[in-house]
Amino acid sequence: MTVDQSPRPLPILLRMSPAPPTVAATSSCTATTTTAKDGEPTPSPLPPQTSPKSSSIATRPHPKPRYPTCKLRVECHDLGHDGAEVFFSNSKVSHDLSAAVNTVLSILYTPSQGNSHIPPVRSVTLVLEAMDTLAYTKGMELDNDHKQIHFSLQYISTIPVSRRGDEIQGVLVHEMVHCWQWNAFGTAPGGLIEGMADFVRLKAGLSPPHWKKERPEKWDQGYQHTGFFLDWIETKFGDGSIRRVNEALMNKRYDEDAFWVSLFGKRVQELWSEYCETLPVKEGEGEVEDAVIVEREEQKTTDRLEKVLE
């Protein structure tokens, strides 16, 4: 075997220079420079510690209370009826039903978290049908939280052209009140229930031109007569007074004297008398009263003369 005897090159030894100084990562507030030792990594500094101020802690605001919503439906039993054509030509039914709900709730209630003071109406169905009655509202037999408003096609067909839009909306608002109002477990006077519906219609600016402030026989005559009386109470005792009347019908049976005294400090007959004093006297009404007084005085005079002659 042959062995290579040629000389081999000697290894060259290199001396490494020390590592140059490095700048450590710092926060945006301060910068520091550190020099690493040979063969050691440069440590990263901790970020500056700041104590959070209590005022800087973000809090999530509570959502603003909103009125409840419900499903709205429409049924028309006869699209060929003249009243159906008048209705759909003068009503944007989806918008108008929603507007009626908003009007009623905004006048009768203040929204709260949960809205437990508002009836839990789940749906309102408008039923357009041929019937003699102008309109009425009822709850469905299986579930009273589902309401139905029945509106006469015959009546709709007779509305004067200039009044069609406002009259249709006025009736919808009146009937929508019956879907959302309280009634003292069915013990409240019917005249008060109907009067509150027309009060809301009055406040919504949808009163028809034939409504007039008159002197009916009793305070719960109903409809616009009681509606004007309730409007007077709202003016005398402040905004929200009829809202209080409605909410007072929520959990108790109706006791007339206790009911009104607890709300306004007076019996309803006292309030009614004060209201009637603000109403205009009908033409001839004062003359009749004066004539009766004169007749009574003349009768007294005649009686005295007869006694003298005796």
Side-chain angles (χ1 to χ4, degrees):
M1 180 171 72
T2 303
V3 177
D4 186 5
Q5 297 294 327
S6 60
R8 297 181 179 179
L10 295 175
I12 300 175
L13 298 177
L14 299 177
R15 183 179 180 83
M16 298 185 68
S17 301
T22 59
V23 178
T26 61
S27 69
S28 60
C29 298
T30 58
T32 58
T33 303
T34 60
T35 302
K37 296 180 180 180
D38 292 345
E40 294 183 1
T42 302
S44 299
L46 294 173
Q49 299 294 322
T50 58
S51 57
K53 298 181 180 179
S54 59
S55 60
S56 64
I57 299 176
T59 58
R60 180 178 297 178
H62 293 289
K64 185 177 180 180
R66 296 181 180 181
Y67 290 109
T69 58
C70 67
K71 189 177 293 295
L72 301 173
R73 302 185 179 95
V74 180
E75 295 179 9
C76 182
H77 290 188
D78 186 359
L79 285 172
H81 197 287
D82 291 344
E85 182 179 355
V86 171
F87 180 85
F88 289 107
S89 297
N90 291 273
S91 175
K92 297 179 180 178
V93 63
S94 176
H95 172 273
D96 292 350
L97 283 176
S98 296
V101 172
N102 293 335
T103 296
V104 171
L105 293 179
S106 65
I107 293 176
L108 290 185
Y109 299 99
T110 300
S112 66
Q113 298 295 337
N115 288 320
S116 59
H117 62 304
I118 302 177
V121 177
R122 298 169 63 189
S123 72
V124 177
T125 301
L126 173 63
V127 181
L128 303 172
E129 60 182 324
M131 61 181 186
D132 296 331
T133 305
L134 192 158
Y136 68 91
T137 297
K138 69 174 186 177
M140 295 182 65
E141 295 180 1
L142 296 179
D143 190 345
N144 193 52
D145 292 343
H146 295 279
K147 307 292 185 179
Q148 289 183 336
I149 297 174
H150 294 253
F151 200 171
S152 169
L153 290 173
Q154 280 100 316
Y155 177 76
I156 295 173
S157 66
T158 64
I159 301 174
V161 175
S162 61
R163 285 280 308 153
R164 285 176 175 173
D166 287 343
E167 181 63 13
I168 289 173
Q169 190 65 13
V171 173
L172 290 179
V173 167
H174 175 105
E175 296 300 328
M176 194 65 74
V177 173
H178 296 325
C179 296
W180 295 93
Q181 70 185 151
W182 297 108
N183 62 8
F185 303 107
T187 64
L192 175 58
I193 297 300
E194 294 296 341
M196 290 184 66
D198 271 356
F199 163 78
V200 173
R201 181 175 178 177
L202 180 67
K203 295 292 285 185
L206 294 169
S207 58
H210 68 271
W211 283 13
K212 295 179 182 179
K213 292 183 178 181
E214 300 174 334
R215 290 174 180 255
E217 297 179 0
K218 52 184 181 177
W219 74 269
D220 58 347
Q221 191 84 11
Y223 297 102
Q224 74 268 23
H225 305 295
T226 303
F228 281 122
F229 174 47
L230 296 176
D231 186 56
W232 174 82
I233 290 177
E234 182 87 351
T235 301
K236 180 176 177 64
F237 294 96
D239 292 343
S241 294
I242 305 309
R243 186 176 296 165
R244 292 166 53 205
V245 170
N246 176 60
E247 293 184 359
L249 296 170
M250 176 179 174
N251 293 319
K252 295 181 180 178
R253 297 175 69 83
Y254 181 78
D255 181 336
E256 185 157 287
D257 288 343
F259 181 83
W260 295 96
V261 170
S262 67
L263 289 171
F264 306 113
K266 297 181 180 181
R267 297 169 59 246
V268 69
Q269 292 298 337
E270 296 178 76
L271 296 170
W272 176 248
S273 297
E274 291 182 25
Y275 166 67
C276 288
E277 291 176 359
T278 68
L279 298 177
V281 178
K282 291 182 180 179
E283 185 177 352
E285 183 178 352
E287 297 175 1
V288 173
E289 293 178 356
D290 293 341
V292 172
I293 294 174
V294 171
E295 183 178 353
R296 288 175 179 172
E297 292 297 327
E298 290 178 348
Q299 184 63 42
K300 290 179 181 179
T301 303
T302 303
D303 293 343
R304 293 193 194 100
L305 288 174
E306 289 178 351
K307 289 182 179 181
V308 172
L309 292 174
E310 290 176 356

